[in-house]
Amino acid sequence: MVAIRFFNTLTRAVDTFEPIQRDQVRIYCCGPTVYNYQHIGNLRTYIFEDTLVRALRYAGHQVQHVMNITDVGHLVSDADDGEDKMLVAMRREGKTSEQIADFYTKIFFDDCGKLNIRRPDVVCKATEHIAEMIDMISQLEKRGFAYQAGGNVYFDVAKFSAYGELAKLDLSTLRSGARIEVDSQKRSPLDFALWFTKSKFEGQELQWDSPWGRGYPGWHIECSAMARRYLGDEFDIHCGGIDHIPVHHTNEIAQSQGATGRAPAKWWMHGAFLLEKNDGEDAKKMSKSAGAFLVLDRIIERGIEPLSYRLMCYSANYRSELAFSWSALEAADATFRKVRSTVETLRESGEPAEITTPRGRELLAQFESSVFDDLAMPRAIAVMHAVLGASDVEPTERLALLEKFDEILGLGVKQWRRVLTEIPAEVTALADERLAARRAKNWGESDRLRDEIAKRGFAVLDAKDAYTLKKASS
Ligand code: AMP
Ligand code: ZN
């Protein structure tokens, strides 16, 4: 197996990946805030993370994949401004926070299923880990990284000398350039809330008791607390979208390292944005705050296979922005269908064979070296197309290659087979009779026989002195 190389946001370099523990790769991915649908931009990030986990498993690693569900604490801004997103949704929909969270969590996992994104080994909800968060905040307080002011608890950024390294933040310009904070309790505008007791909002229903009074957590503490609970103080990879680098992940590192004295993750990997481009506008980040946004069901309603979107995501490296357009998606859909039908034809030659020929092995090596070169999926897809058209490789060996590739690609190759419809003899006899009637120009009889065939669930398509039968679409 070739060496695995990934880009690490922390070092801004592509390095060889080695797990901390020989027998397991531990990976934490920031999950959805379940106050609304996830748009296809969010889903791009989860496709990237699923592909990463699949690649690690393909390489023979045991993987422990943890993802959180944010059902409290994520304010409208990633900093400490605005209302909790869950409360906004409760008002919008007239439901309890639990109903909102359950509804959008279910839709999220349904969408993941349609995209062959495998469920992480651990899915953990913020509201079920308040005790772990309180524990970590207490530790931060003991170690001098937290202070109370105006009833809230804040992280004291000045005490953490490595603050902002992940994002390469220039703290001096940030401090002097910071706008006047709404929250005047903070010692520095860069400090961030760990626990709120003085709710800024009436009727805040999501509250818990704590050593600092009844209140609710800041957003960032949930990931530090849950990553620690399920993966320990040090783990291998932490993932998320690129927007998390300057605030959320920067604050996570400060909290985890402040509490444990150790950097939480060795590798930080970030997926770039899906952009949307409307007529006459520049491409911009797909976002929920922009109002209308595209969800997976809109794609399906247009008759496009959801997995065509997964294939489209492979047209760019995960670190490059990808511009969404319907024409690009329709092109991906046409390619997806062509690939599927080619695989169905290959399958008619027999079961997948062993990959033994030099050419077969060469193609496999090309695919693997692309994937393990920081998930170079456009190159991996080019190898897939080369296999589809490789007339110098037996169909059954090509099939074996494509099934193997699909362990990482997740397009569903193993399920692709042509469904042959058995046509009952009675229906064929009626069609033969009808052909005779047509030859005799007996159109009345021909129409009657067409109806008889239709009653049995089949449609007859006429050709010159011939016919084809197919199952009628209901
Ligand atoms: P959220 O539910 O808003 O917390 O976002 C879920 C995930 O999607 C996070 O990892 C975000 O960084 C990521 N994300 C948000 N917008 C986009 C986008 N336009 N393209 C790709 N990923 C995104
Ligand atoms: Zn997170």
Side-chain angles (χ1 to χ4, degrees):
M1 183 65 63
V2 288
I4 305 179
R5 290 164 59 75
F6 292 140
F7 180 82
N8 188 351
T9 308
L10 209 51
T11 58
R12 301 287 194 277
V14 177
D15 282 319
T16 304
F17 174 78
E18 295 282 355
I20 300 171
Q21 286 176 359
R22 262 182 148 271
D23 57 345
Q24 200 178 51
V25 176
R26 288 164 293 159
I27 171 164
Y28 185 93
C29 299
C30 289
T33 307
V34 285
Y35 74 111
N36 208 334
Y37 298 97
Q38 291 283 294
H39 54 59
I40 60 166
N42 302 128
L43 294 172
R44 180 186 183 206
T45 294
Y46 300 111
I47 290 172
F48 142 60
E49 292 162 353
D50 179 63
T51 310
L52 169 66
V53 170
R54 283 167 175 270
L56 289 163
R57 292 207 165 110
Y58 181 102
H61 293 295
Q62 290 273 349
V63 181
Q64 179 72 349
H65 178 194
V66 177
M67 192 185 75
N68 66 302
I69 300 284
T70 300
D71 54 357
V72 67
H74 194 168
L75 304 189
V76 167
S77 130
D78 277 358
D80 297 327
D81 289 349
E83 212 173 345
D84 190 308
K85 291 185 177 185
M86 292 302 289
L87 297 176
V88 176
M90 284 158 70
R91 215 174 27 243
R92 184 182 68 218
E93 300 185 20
K95 293 183 188 160
T96 66
S97 62
E98 212 179 346
Q99 286 169 332
I100 302 271
D102 287 353
F103 179 78
Y104 290 112
T105 305
K106 179 176 181 309
I107 292 183
F108 170 64
F109 283 116
D110 285 352
D111 282 355
C112 287
K114 292 172 194 164
L115 291 167
N116 283 345
I117 296 172
R118 291 185 182 146
R119 197 180 167 92
D121 304 286
V122 176
V123 174
C124 41
K125 292 187 196 173
T127 48
E128 290 175 358
H129 296 79
I130 301 293
E132 284 84 347
M133 298 186 216
I134 291 177
D135 245 26
M136 194 174 248
I137 300 169
S138 304
Q139 256 160 344
L140 286 169
E141 230 182 1
K142 270 192 218 115
R143 294 172 65 111
F145 289 103
Y147 62 92
Q148 282 189 60
N152 298 331
V153 185
Y154 295 100
F155 189 93
D156 192 348
V157 165
K159 299 274 167 58
F160 186 67
S161 59
Y163 188 81
E165 273 178 8
L166 176 76
K168 308 260 180 278
L169 297 180
D170 178 351
L171 299 193
S172 55
T173 43
L174 270 182
R175 279 206 188 90
S176 59
R179 65 202 158 74
I180 315 282
E181 274 287 326
V182 187
D183 190 346
S184 57
Q185 323 286 354
K186 293 182 184 178
R187 289 181 189 162
S188 150
L190 292 179
D191 294 352
F192 55 92
L194 297 165
W195 189 265
F196 293 99
T197 57
K198 290 276 179 292
S199 173
K200 294 184 247 181
F201 312 104
E202 291 298 317
Q204 156 68 296
E205 129 179 356
L206 297 163
Q207 293 198 20
W208 293 264
D209 288 328
S210 84
W212 313 281
R214 201 164 164 72
Y216 58 99
W219 172 37
H220 317 294
I221 194 73
E222 70 172 84
C223 288
S224 288
M226 290 191 273
R228 185 183 194 191
R229 154 87 193 268
Y230 294 103
L231 298 174
D233 290 352
E234 284 176 299
F235 53 96
D236 296 287
I237 308 176
H238 196 310
C239 291
I242 201 162
D243 52 332
H244 285 341
I245 300 172
V247 182
H248 183 50
H249 288 170
T250 289
N251 292 351
E252 257 192 78
I253 293 174
Q255 296 167 146
S256 302
Q257 200 164 332
T260 70
R262 301 201 215 131
K266 252 180 108 169
W267 293 76
W268 289 80
M269 295 176 69
H270 293 98
F273 285 148
L274 181 77
L275 306 179
E276 61 183 328
K277 193 171 167 0
N278 295 313
D279 284 346
E281 285 177 15
D282 290 336
K284 58 176 191 311
K285 174 195 174 215
M286 185 170 287
S287 89
K288 283 175 224 170
S289 49
F293 54 83
L294 195 53
V295 297
L296 193 64
D297 277 354
R298 294 293 92 74
I299 287 179
I300 297 167
E301 281 160 18
R302 283 219 187 184
I304 292 172
E305 294 281 352
L307 288 165
S308 300
Y309 178 61
R310 186 167 180 130
L311 182 62
M312 180 180 150
C313 288
Y314 292 146
S315 65
N317 183 282
Y318 73 94
R319 288 199 287 125
S320 306
E321 289 175 337
L322 173 64
F324 175 82
S325 70
W326 283 105
S327 54
L329 182 60
E330 277 154 10
D333 193 45
T335 309
F336 177 82
R337 286 168 196 271
K338 223 169 98 196
V339 172
R340 187 170 60 192
S341 126
T342 311
V343 169
E344 286 168 351
T345 307
L346 289 175
R347 214 174 270 294
E348 282 162 13
S349 302
E351 290 300 308
E354 297 283 306
I355 303 159
T356 46
T357 63
R359 178 77 181 124
R361 288 189 178 189
E362 184 192 341
L363 287 161
L364 183 62
Q366 280 173 8
F367 178 82
E368 290 174 355
S369 62
S370 310
V371 170
F372 295 127
D373 182 9
D374 196 28
L375 303 179
M377 301 315 287
R379 266 165 49 205
I381 291 295
V383 181
M384 179 190 82
H385 285 294
V387 169
L388 287 164
S391 49
D392 52 342
V393 180
E394 286 295 317
T396 50
E397 188 169 355
R398 276 192 267 164
L399 194 56
L401 282 163
L402 294 162
E403 286 195 354
K404 188 125 187 72
F405 294 178
D406 205 56
E407 289 172 26
I408 294 171
L409 298 177
L411 297 173
V413 170
K414 279 201 173 146
Q415 280 96 57
W416 295 343
R417 54 196 76 241
R418 214 156 263 147
V419 185
L420 296 176
T421 313
E422 289 281 338
I423 299 173
E426 177 200 14
V427 173
T428 317
L430 285 169
D432 286 342
E433 248 182 80
R434 184 169 172 277
L435 183 62
R438 282 176 62 220
R439 282 183 184 140
K441 299 196 179 351
N442 188 349
W443 307 123
E445 179 66 357
S446 155
D447 286 350
R448 187 188 70 77
L449 286 162
R450 176 192 291 278
D451 292 346
E452 287 297 318
I453 293 167
K455 270 190 224 156
R456 286 161 180 79
F458 285 83
V460 58
L461 310 172
D462 294 327
K464 194 166 175 284
D465 205 34
Y467 65 82
T468 313
L469 281 167
K470 75 174 190 75
K471 197 121 185 80
S473 43
S474 48

